[in-house]
Amino acid sequence: MRVLYERCCGLDVHKKSITACVLTPEGKEIRTFGTMTDDLEELVEWLKQKQVTHVAMESTGVYWKPIYNLLEAEPIDVLVVNAQHLKAVPGRKTDVKDAEWIADLLRHGLLIPDRAQRELRELVRYRRSLIEERAREFNRIQKVLEGANIKLASVVSDISGVSAQQILRALIEGTDDSAVLAQLAKGRLKQKIGELRRALKGIMGPHQRMMLSEQCRHIEYLDEAIARLSREIEERTRPFHEALELMETIPGVGRQSAEQIIAEIGTDMSRFPTAAHLASWAGMAPGNHESAGKRLSGRTRKGNKKLRACLVECARAAARTKNTYLSAKYHRIAKRRGANRASVAVGRTILEIIYSVLTRKEPYRELGADYWDQQREAAIVRQTVKRLEGLGYEVKLEKTSA
């Protein structure tokens, strides 16, 4: 392999020790350091003496952060890489060999730094965590309401909606009359006043009102934090505005999903030779497990969990669209393989479409819900005729002008 970086270093990072391997034209040198700030400053000085230009280390836990804090102030390119991508040959596992393997990969340019994308990824992932925490808080509210004999969720489809929020505020303020609470309904929920009156008749104690108050305040804080993160993410994704607009033309892919996908895979598709390579990296490809000529488990491999979760969400959203190719594919697969496998299959298709859209710089072109049938028209006609003849019918086919 061609050497791209002549002076580089691989770090095998642990809680109490760091093994460093420096590769230079003069040879290889390995040293071990502690993890206190004094020890890390000594490591940085040693790297500067060796005129190291690039450093790579595994993104294990949070132990890489103290090193990164010191190295980012120096004229040294620092790479924090996925440990899953650095696995060496099994049976040769020591700290020294790990450091050597990381340095060797770095030296030949197999690890590519992208600080801006990593920062964007951290922001997007944190926003997703807050959104998930917000959903958990609503589940806690539902648990408190059930404990107070209030069946609000049995009538209201979304307790985060406007009507439900007004009812919750009234409950917190001490309103117990179910008829008064039911009158707070808005929009189409007014048609269910009678059901609401019955659902809101309960027994709520002071501690439950306090819990609801704290939970609602927590949700308000999360909403504000999510809004601040969204503004920062929008500012950082401004250079990718065109790519985001193209991705939003795909059924099931919204703005937040597009931002998360961009944060995980970037916009430069040249790093992946084909869409299949991208799907494999993301863990959206079938596994390849064969032994003694027998095909064993086809379970998908481990990949980018955040990207995979986002694509599955997009697939389920696409399944709810009408008269689209992705929806038809989802329902066709779900019928015989189940909803979960259909979601993964459609998620992979969405990722391949994104690869094509970003490569060609063209919006998504809808194929239609009948695309698959059109491709297999002859086979479908033959199979249908054969089944009818098997039931004793004489079939005569005549194609209409339409």
Side-chain angles (χ1 to χ4, degrees):
M1 291 187 289
R2 183 166 60 95
V3 173
L4 295 184
Y5 308 127
E6 289 189 347
R7 296 181 174 274
C8 58
C9 175
L11 302 179
D12 188 40
V13 182
H14 299 277
K15 183 177 181 179
K16 295 183 179 180
S17 66
I18 300 168
T19 302
C21 174
V22 169
L23 297 179
T24 64
E26 292 80 34
K28 175 174 65 178
E29 186 174 347
I30 298 173
R31 287 184 59 180
T32 301
F33 298 86
T35 55
M36 299 296 181
T37 303
D38 293 341
D39 301 321
L40 298 181
E41 289 175 346
E42 183 183 349
L43 167 62
V44 173
E45 287 301 319
W46 180 61
L47 294 176
K48 290 164 66 177
Q49 289 174 10
K50 294 295 180 180
Q51 299 178 356
V52 169
T53 59
H54 293 77
V55 173
M57 54 186 164
E58 295 178 353
S59 57
T60 308
V62 296
Y63 302 131
W64 59 271
K65 292 184 178 180
I67 309 168
Y68 185 85
N69 290 339
L70 295 179
L71 287 177
E72 69 176 345
E74 304 294 336
I76 300 175
D77 288 335
V78 188
L79 291 79
V80 184
V81 294
N82 190 339
Q84 180 75 19
H85 300 163
L86 294 177
K87 285 187 176 179
V89 179
R92 302 180 61 205
K93 177 77 172 70
T94 66
D95 293 346
V96 172
K97 289 191 179 295
D98 282 348
E100 290 179 12
W101 178 247
I102 295 171
D104 193 42
L105 289 177
L106 173 61
R107 191 182 194 191
H108 294 92
L110 298 183
L111 308 174
I112 305 174
D114 192 345
R115 179 177 178 180
Q117 183 180 342
R118 187 176 68 252
E119 291 176 352
L120 176 62
R121 183 181 300 174
E122 288 180 358
L123 289 168
V124 171
R125 287 183 176 183
Y126 183 52
R127 181 179 65 179
R128 182 180 179 87
S129 297
L130 293 184
I131 292 172
E132 291 171 352
E133 176 59 28
R134 183 176 180 272
R136 284 192 290 270
E137 200 63 69
F138 274 114
N139 289 337
R140 295 186 189 110
I141 287 177
Q142 172 59 21
K143 189 175 181 180
V144 172
L145 293 176
E146 288 288 336
N149 287 31
I150 294 176
K151 302 288 186 178
L152 181 61
S154 300
V155 182
V156 180
S157 59
D158 181 13
I159 64 170
S160 64
V162 175
S163 298
Q165 289 299 299
Q166 288 191 353
I167 292 171
L168 285 175
R169 280 193 288 271
L171 285 169
I172 292 169
E173 291 168 0
T175 305
D176 289 322
D177 191 341
S178 60
V180 174
L181 292 170
Q183 292 301 320
L184 297 173
K186 303 290 183 183
R188 289 186 297 177
L189 194 59
K190 288 183 178 180
Q191 302 171 8
K192 301 180 179 180
I193 293 290
E195 293 179 59
L196 265 179
R197 190 180 297 115
R198 295 183 60 209
L200 294 172
K201 186 178 180 180
I203 306 169
M204 179 165 287
H207 77 288
Q208 291 167 326
R209 296 187 198 279
M210 179 182 178
M211 289 171 66
L212 284 178
S213 176
E214 293 299 325
Q215 288 163 348
C216 288
R217 271 201 291 267
H218 188 200
I219 288 172
E220 290 174 3
Y221 164 76
L222 291 173
D223 286 337
E224 293 171 1
I226 290 168
R228 287 193 296 270
L229 284 168
S230 295
R231 287 193 292 270
E232 178 66 19
I233 291 168
E234 183 180 0
E235 186 64 31
R236 287 174 177 262
T237 54
R238 200 176 296 279
F240 313 129
H241 177 73
E242 182 183 356
L244 292 170
E245 292 288 336
L246 291 173
M247 290 170 63
E248 286 185 82
T249 61
I250 304 170
V253 180
R255 187 69 176 192
Q256 285 193 357
S257 298
E259 290 172 347
Q260 183 164 351
I261 294 169
I262 286 290
E264 299 296 340
I265 68 174
T267 56
D268 181 12
M269 295 294 102
S270 63
R271 67 185 73 182
F272 301 104
T274 65
H277 284 80
L278 174 58
S280 178
W281 175 82
M284 299 296 288
N288 189 12
H289 188 189
E290 184 178 310
S291 181
K294 294 181 180 179
R295 173 76 175 176
L296 303 178
S297 173
R299 199 172 169 153
T300 52
R301 64 183 291 276
K302 292 182 179 179
N304 188 318
K305 293 181 181 179
K306 303 294 184 182
L307 177 58
R308 181 189 175 103
C310 180
L311 290 170
V312 168
E313 286 181 5
C314 292
R316 294 191 183 277
R320 294 191 292 271
T321 57
K322 296 184 181 297
N323 299 321
T324 63
Y325 168 75
L326 293 174
S327 176
K329 180 172 184 175
Y330 175 89
H331 292 293
R332 188 179 70 249
I333 298 174
K335 208 183 308 182
R336 55 189 175 84
R337 301 302 300 276
N340 291 336
R341 291 187 178 182
S343 297
V344 174
V346 174
R348 175 191 169 126
T349 301
I350 290 175
L351 187 60
E352 291 175 339
I353 293 172
I354 290 171
Y355 180 90
S356 177
V357 162
L358 295 181
T359 301
R360 299 179 181 178
K361 301 289 190 292
E362 296 177 357
Y364 170 71
R365 291 178 303 198
E366 179 56 54
L367 299 176
D370 60 344
Y371 175 79
W372 181 252
D373 290 340
Q374 290 177 2
Q375 299 301 307
R376 300 180 62 252
E377 180 181 356
I380 291 172
V381 170
R382 186 175 63 252
Q383 292 168 5
T384 305
V385 169
K386 187 176 180 180
R387 291 185 65 184
L388 289 171
E389 289 176 343
L391 294 172
Y393 291 90
E394 182 180 346
V395 181
K396 182 180 178 182
L397 299 176
E398 183 177 347
K399 193 165 186 178
T400 63
S401 58

